[in-house]
Amino acid sequence: MHEPAMTHLAASDPEIAGLVESEAQRQFEKIRLIASENYVSTAVLEASGSVLTNKYSEGYAGKRYYEGQQFIDPVETLAIDRAKAVFGVEHANVQPYSGSPANLAVYLAFLQPGDAVMGMGLPSGGHLTHGWTVSATGRWFQGVRYGVRQDTGRVDLDEVRDLALQHRPKVIFCGGTAIPRTIDFPAFAAIAGEIDAVLVADISHIAGLIAGGAHPSPVGHAPVITTTTHKTLRGPRGAMIMSDAAHASALDKAVFPGLQGGPHNHTTAAIAVALREATTPDFREYAHRVVANAKALAEALSARGFDLVTGGTDNHLILIDLTSRGVAGKPAAKALDRAGIELNYNTVPFDPRKPFDPSGVRLGTAAITTRGLQPEQMPTLAAWIDEAVKAAGDDDETTISRIAGEVRDLMTAYPMSGWV
Ligand SMILES: Cc1ncc(COP(=O)(O)O)c(C=O)c1O
């Protein structure tokens, strides 16, 4: 049953209540390997579902455009102070509605339409909002895109430097959505320094690892840091922009009044709760185990002949190129979902296939680590993935159903916040 209990929802809108209940059960029974997802604590769920959703508070603490901020101001101030303490930054803005608006605020703060912005190309693992063609950021700004080396699958820092010197972007993004290796923040900072560009570290995927000491921090290298709060950081759907003092005012003005209206106060409260959780020894242990699980899973998948982009992982994320298995990413992902293992199909660098039907799948270990799975269990997961991918090619639904049963048996033994 969903926790907190949804008795009022069930009485007033049984249709929606039933769907939420079913989703909670689905999350309980599946091996969730989508690299951007997690399970938040019940405390985070309670804050997200609180009466704070009723309140408008355009502006910032002490400078609001609406009355009645006696309790909202301290909520937002607590979230800011906790973000500053967890990440060791001079300034934090906790109002962006999500990761995409947080990145848009960076454009508004430091660029004029038509200016050059550099980021990793989407097919190499960058995010849409780093200047990719179909995004507003690539249509209204001049996107300069770097990639990875074909021989290593890793960021090509020589290319980054060459492109930077050639196009002189005012902003350089590092970080992305499908990067299985440690981001070399000092190297990016050196390149940005040569052309006086603002280096923005988008740590959306790895924020929880950084908070827990399992990935180097960009602080001291990137003056501006954007992040979602709902991936490895294990908070609500939301985002933050952190920076040094010099860039603070431009970023705050860009978020409000530049881009947004009233902040989502229930989300701000839940971000504060998640940031408090991120200071605990348990969270540190979780962050390190996320990486240990990913490394163990990568090793077990490699041992089964899977072709991993970059050959492995340093963080929570693994990218598999399925070309040698003779199955495309999409049918593999769909078969795995039927087998109780949820991940997403993904382009791989230099993918000859289209983004909607690419060659790879992406997986991550944050959610299964939150559930309590350990490195010793990763060979079992790899064996199921191997069998299900084979079954996808052979149209073998019997094997897929058998795996789904075994997955359900495993996962129902592990408690889940949000389900009792
Ligand atoms: C690196 C990165 N930046 C930004 C975003 C955008 O976040 P949102 O989906 O919350 O807009 C994502 C989301 O996946 C991401 O991975």
Side-chain angles (χ1 to χ4, degrees), residues 36 98-101 103 127 129-130 176-177 202 204-205 228 230-231 238:
S36 46
S98 213
S100 305
N103 283 343
H127 191 259
T129 54
H130 297 180
T177 60
D202 182 342
S204 291
H205 264 267
T228 52
H230 45 266
K231 299 184 173 82

Side-chain angles (χ1 to χ4, degrees), residues 43-168:
V44 167
L45 282 181
E46 284 181 351
S48 304
S50 66
V51 295
L52 269 57
T53 198
N54 297 339
K55 188 72 196 110
Y56 244 104
S57 48
E58 284 185 1
Y60 292 102
K63 289 167 283 181
R64 305 280 190 189
Y65 290 80
Y66 293 76
E67 295 311 314
Q69 310 298 340
Q70 293 83 352
F71 306 106
I72 297 299
D73 275 3
V75 165
E76 188 169 323
T77 303
L78 268 174
I80 290 169
D81 289 347
R82 289 175 184 176
K84 284 159 70 173
V86 166
F87 290 96
V89 288
E90 291 173 346
H91 177 73
N93 185 311
V94 295
Q95 294 194 1
Y97 298 142
S98 213
S100 305
N103 283 343
L104 261 188
V106 169
Y107 287 76
L108 193 57
F110 306 122
L111 298 170
Q112 293 299 321
D115 280 349
V117 58
M118 192 158 90
M120 189 182 230
L122 187 76
S124 306
H127 191 259
L128 286 162
T129 54
H130 297 180
W132 188 243
T133 46
V134 296
S135 156
T137 62
R139 291 175 59 181
W140 296 340
F141 300 88
Q142 185 205 327
V144 179
R145 291 138 204 147
Y146 57 86
V148 294
R149 288 177 59 107
Q150 193 144 19
D151 53 343
T152 61
R154 295 179 187 238
V155 176
D156 188 342
L157 284 162
D158 294 333
E159 186 197 16
V160 175
R161 182 166 182 273
D162 289 347
L163 286 170
L165 293 178
Q166 188 188 338
H167 297 278
R168 306 192 80 80

Side-chain angles (χ1 to χ4, degrees), residues 182-356:
T182 301
I183 297 165
D184 190 345
F185 297 121
F188 274 100
I191 294 167
E194 279 190 72
I195 56 162
D196 213 14
V198 179
L199 178 63
V200 181
D202 182 342
I203 61 166
S204 291
H205 264 267
I206 51 175
L209 306 184
I210 292 169
H215 187 289
S217 166
V219 176
H221 306 294
V224 178
I225 300 166
T226 59
T227 185
T228 52
T229 45
H230 45 266
K231 299 184 173 82
T232 52
L233 191 57
R234 218 159 60 178
R237 307 301 290 236
M240 306 191 291
I241 305 177
M242 299 179 279
S243 74
D244 60 12
H247 294 85
S249 160
L251 288 164
D252 279 354
K253 283 190 195 126
V255 173
F256 179 85
L259 203 62
Q260 297 189 169
H264 295 177
N265 298 310
H266 52 301
T267 300
T268 307
I271 290 174
V273 173
L275 287 168
R276 188 169 201 264
E277 291 172 358
T279 62
T280 60
D282 273 1
F283 191 90
R284 236 187 138 68
E285 193 274 327
Y286 146 82
H288 286 275
R289 194 153 43 83
V290 168
V291 177
N293 277 339
K295 284 181 184 292
L297 185 54
E299 220 165 87
L301 288 166
S302 289
R304 290 182 166 273
F306 281 103
D307 185 5
L308 308 190
V309 173
T310 77
T313 181
D314 297 328
N315 53 33
H316 64 303
L317 190 147
I318 298 166
L319 196 55
I320 307 179
D321 183 345
L322 290 169
T323 307
S324 64
R325 304 295 292 245
V327 183
K330 197 173 192 173
K334 290 195 174 303
L336 282 158
D337 191 46
R338 292 198 298 283
I341 298 169
E342 184 192 6
L343 43 65
N344 67 283
Y345 56 86
N346 215 96
T347 50
V348 295
F350 309 99
D351 203 327
R353 302 176 66 94
K354 296 257 182 296
F356 199 58

